[in-house]
Amino acid sequence: MITKTVESVEDALHGVSDNMTMMFGGFGLCGIPENAITELVKKEIKGLTCISNNAGVDDFGLGLLLQKKQIKKMISSYVGENDEFERQMLSGELDVELIPQGTLAERCRASQAGFPAIYTPAGYGTEVAKGKETREFDGKMYVLEHAFKADFSFVKAWKGDAAGNLVFKGTARNFNPVMCGAAKITVAEVEELVPVGTLDPNQIHVPGIFVQRIFQGNDYEKRIEQRTVIKK
């Protein structure tokens, strides 16, 4: 059995450099690769193009990279909850490509599956379709969207084994699964790294074939983006 375990986040990020395109799993602050993001901040990698549903908040998640001006372009579907993201976008400091959320997911999935492009009805007749090929199928118009091309994909799972098999917990099973194998190198950080054979094969969400490196993370904060409570 080939082991894909690396000893540290530093080893996991071997080969990252300026001006790369990177995918980041997670939704809001749920299931984000916290350790990988922190290490990228530490390494001061610049000129990044980041593919992610959103950009975290001002002081957490991808917001940390935004604060340091390490991101040159965000490809995402949601800009809320991050004042710095909004400021940089409106001031022209940050290049932003907004994509319908389903299209974002499917372009990741296309990369994962090896498809060069997909057709989607989302965005037809709007600014989203400007300059893109369109085609009619069964009387309905669709927009051609190309699969993403990324150098690294960073995901976060609940459990994983040395072969790279992953299990996600709850709503952390969001963009993480479709970003596995969607880049040249997929790096998975997990809360618990177990020996091969420990995981129930029927419970594995992503097989190890889609993962190149895996390590056990630490100090996960698991913040809540918007806390709603009942007043008594």
Side-chain angles (χ1 to χ4, degrees), residues 177-232:
V178 295
M179 288 185 173
C180 293
K184 294 177 182 177
I185 297 176
T186 294
V187 177
E189 57 179 84
V190 296
E191 294 182 39
E192 184 178 354
L193 186 60
V194 299
V196 173
T198 303
L199 300 175
D200 179 351
N202 294 305
Q203 300 301 317
I204 291 172
H205 296 134
V206 173
I209 191 68
F210 292 107
V211 177
Q212 282 70 52
R213 302 172 190 172
I214 187 170
F215 70 97
Q216 182 164 321
N218 52 59
D219 300 324
Y220 288 111
E221 294 188 43
K222 297 186 179 181
R223 295 195 194 183
I224 297 175
E225 200 166 359
Q226 293 287 349
R227 186 184 298 273
T228 303
V229 296
I230 298 175
K231 293 183 179 181
K232 294 184 178 180

Side-chain angles (χ1 to χ4, degrees), residues 162-180:
N165 297 305
L166 302 177
V167 178
F168 299 95
K169 188 175 184 179
T171 49
R173 192 179 174 186
N174 41 54
F175 278 87
N176 281 302
V178 295
M179 288 185 173
C180 293

Side-chain angles (χ1 to χ4, degrees), residues 72 103 124 132 142 157 192 203 210:
K72 71 176 181 181
T103 302
Y124 176 75
K132 297 176 182 177
Y142 292 78
E192 184 178 354
Q203 300 301 317
F210 292 107

Side-chain angles (χ1 to χ4, degrees):
M1 179 67 68
I2 298 175
T3 178
K4 298 177 180 179
T5 305
V6 292
E7 295 301 319
S8 66
V9 64
E10 292 86 0
D11 294 334
L13 268 64
H14 174 73
V16 299
S17 62
D18 293 349
N19 303 311
M20 281 188 166
T21 298
M22 299 178 175
M23 291 181 169
F24 294 89
F27 188 96
L29 301 182
C30 177
I32 66 173
E34 298 174 34
N35 286 247
I37 292 171
T38 299
E39 184 63 18
L40 285 169
V41 173
K42 180 180 177 182
K43 285 181 173 293
E44 299 184 344
I45 303 298
K46 305 285 188 182
L48 296 176
T49 295
C50 296
I51 301 169
S52 176
N53 177 69
N54 55 282
V57 293
D58 290 331
D59 62 343
F60 193 64
L62 291 180
L64 297 173
L65 290 169
L66 283 171
Q67 281 186 348
K68 299 291 186 179
K69 304 292 182 66
Q70 293 173 256
I71 300 176
K72 71 176 181 181
K73 181 176 182 178
M74 278 295 308
I75 300 175
S76 56
S77 66
Y78 181 62
V79 299
E81 315 303 335
N82 192 317
D83 292 336
E84 181 61 16
F85 186 0
E86 180 183 14
R87 189 197 67 77
Q88 289 188 26
M89 180 180 72
L90 295 177
S91 68
E93 298 173 43
L94 179 69
D95 186 7
V96 177
E97 181 180 348
L98 292 177
I99 300 175
Q101 196 165 87
T103 302
L104 181 69
E106 289 306 313
R107 289 177 68 181
C108 292
R109 200 190 313 274
S111 299
Q112 181 189 66
F115 299 146
I118 61 168
Y119 278 103
T120 173
Y124 176 75
T126 72
E127 286 292 315
V128 171
K130 187 176 181 180
K132 297 176 182 177
E133 178 185 332
T134 59
R135 185 173 175 181
E136 181 180 342
F137 292 92
D138 298 324
K140 188 173 183 177
M141 296 303 298
Y142 292 78
V143 181
L144 180 71
E145 297 281 4
H146 292 274
F148 289 123
K149 294 180 180 180
D151 300 293
F152 277 85
S153 178
F154 296 103
V155 301
K156 190 256 183 177
W158 175 41
K159 288 185 180 181
D161 64 22
N165 297 305
L166 302 177
V167 178
F168 299 95
K169 188 175 184 179
T171 49
R173 192 179 174 186
N174 41 54
F175 278 87
N176 281 302
V178 295
M179 288 185 173
C180 293
K184 294 177 182 177
I185 297 176
T186 294
V187 177
E189 57 179 84
V190 296
E191 294 182 39
E192 184 178 354
L193 186 60
V194 299
V196 173
T198 303
L199 300 175
D200 179 351
N202 294 305
Q203 300 301 317
I204 291 172
H205 296 134
V206 173
I209 191 68
F210 292 107
V211 177
Q212 282 70 52
R213 302 172 190 172
I214 187 170
F215 70 97
Q216 182 164 321
N218 52 59
D219 300 324
Y220 288 111
E221 294 188 43
K222 297 186 179 181
R223 295 195 194 183
I224 297 175
E225 200 166 359
Q226 293 287 349
R227 186 184 298 273
T228 303
V229 296
I230 298 175
K231 293 183 179 181
K232 294 184 178 180

